[in-house]
Amino acid sequence: MKALRFKSLAFVLIGTLALVVGLWEISGGGGVNPAVPIAEERASEIAAATASVYVSLRVINAALSAAQEIEVGGSIGVQASAQPFRVLEPVDDTVERVSHVIFAIAAGAALMLVGLGPVASLGLVLLGIGSLGLAAADVSGSSKIQRSSLRAARLGLAFGLALPLVFAGGSWLGERMTQPQWDSAISQLDAVAGEARVLIGEGDDVEIEVEEEAGGLFSWVGDGVSAAGDAMDAVARYRDAVRLFMNEADVLFSSSLTIIGLFVLRMVVLPALLLWGLMALVRRSIA
């Protein structure tokens, strides 16, 4: 009888505390659940990291797009032009697709940042209701109330406390476990992005043409050679950068995939595994 009363009293205390805290945070009080600020800090760090990676990828994308638009033309009787750097288009398309994935990850981190608090508050309310229901079931002996209250308590515990804690813990653990891979991938991406910034700064909307002009044979030949020399000088500014992008395409692709994999590991895989393990322990302990 004493054990029953103590158990019921514990459920009442837990349920009342969880219900009060949850309702207080829903009403705008905030700052009571200690698990939420830790998880929000981790989500903010992930959002900042994804924003940095996204900017680097967009800089590379802009440089590749600018290089592809360069036209080298000439006219000796018939005017013609060519875009010799169109060979970069597959690399450009790949970088653009990767940047879209990074943007989706950044949006997910931002969603976690703004959504963890409300979800945790609702979870605490559900935990409070479930705990009070378990206390009532202990007193009344109703198995139906006990089953439904137990489900509510487990669900509330998962959303109110376990979710923010395992998200923070999983992302922290993933960061510690994968820091060397992260540093290597980021350094490779930053190196290519640095070259892309130089390329963007050296020329925008470059169009080079060699025109035929009247003025005699020697004048025509001299002007043609001079214009061709200017064209070659302008094209040479991009030649080394284009060679770099082609040579580093595999490195750029592998580093981008590594970054995506690390983000998914830190945000989804490890937190999900920790949540599954924690809820398995709770299911065994509260039966």
Side-chain angles (χ1 to χ4, degrees), residues 57-161:
L57 289 171
R58 296 307 294 178
V59 167
I60 296 172
N61 184 225
L64 292 171
S65 298
Q68 291 178 72
E69 296 303 319
I70 296 175
E71 293 186 0
V72 179
S75 59
I76 303 177
V78 178
Q79 185 171 355
S81 63
Q83 293 177 312
F85 299 137
R86 279 290 178 182
V87 67
L88 293 172
E89 187 171 1
V91 182
D92 188 23
D93 292 342
T94 300
V95 171
E96 188 172 2
R97 291 189 182 97
V98 171
S99 67
H100 291 163
V101 176
I102 294 294
F103 183 80
I105 295 173
L111 179 62
M112 294 293 290
L113 180 61
V114 300
L116 275 173
V119 170
S121 300
L122 292 173
L124 288 179
V125 171
L126 192 59
L127 175 61
I129 295 173
S131 298
L132 293 176
L134 287 174
D138 280 341
V139 173
S140 63
S142 173
S143 59
K144 185 177 181 180
I145 296 177
Q146 184 181 22
R147 285 194 300 270
S148 57
S149 299
L150 187 58
R151 293 192 187 98
R154 286 174 177 170
L155 192 60
L157 181 63
F159 287 121
L161 293 174

Side-chain angles (χ1 to χ4, degrees), residues 262-283:
L262 293 177
F263 275 132
V264 173
L265 178 69
R266 296 177 182 183
M267 287 182 59
V268 179
V269 177
L270 286 177
L273 289 175
L274 291 177
L275 181 61
W276 175 80
L278 181 61
M279 295 312 297
L281 291 176
V282 171
R283 192 178 297 112

Side-chain angles (χ1 to χ4, degrees), residues 22-48:
L23 292 175
W24 169 260
E25 292 189 344
I26 289 176
S27 65
V32 180
N33 189 346
V36 173
I38 301 173
E40 288 179 342
E41 182 179 357
R42 297 300 305 173
S44 178
E45 292 175 357
I46 292 174

Side-chain angles (χ1 to χ4, degrees), residues 169-186:
S171 62
W172 178 85
L173 183 62
E175 180 179 343
R176 294 298 177 271
M177 293 172 58
T178 61
Q179 194 63 41
Q181 296 93 321
W182 173 265
D183 291 338
S184 176
I186 288 296

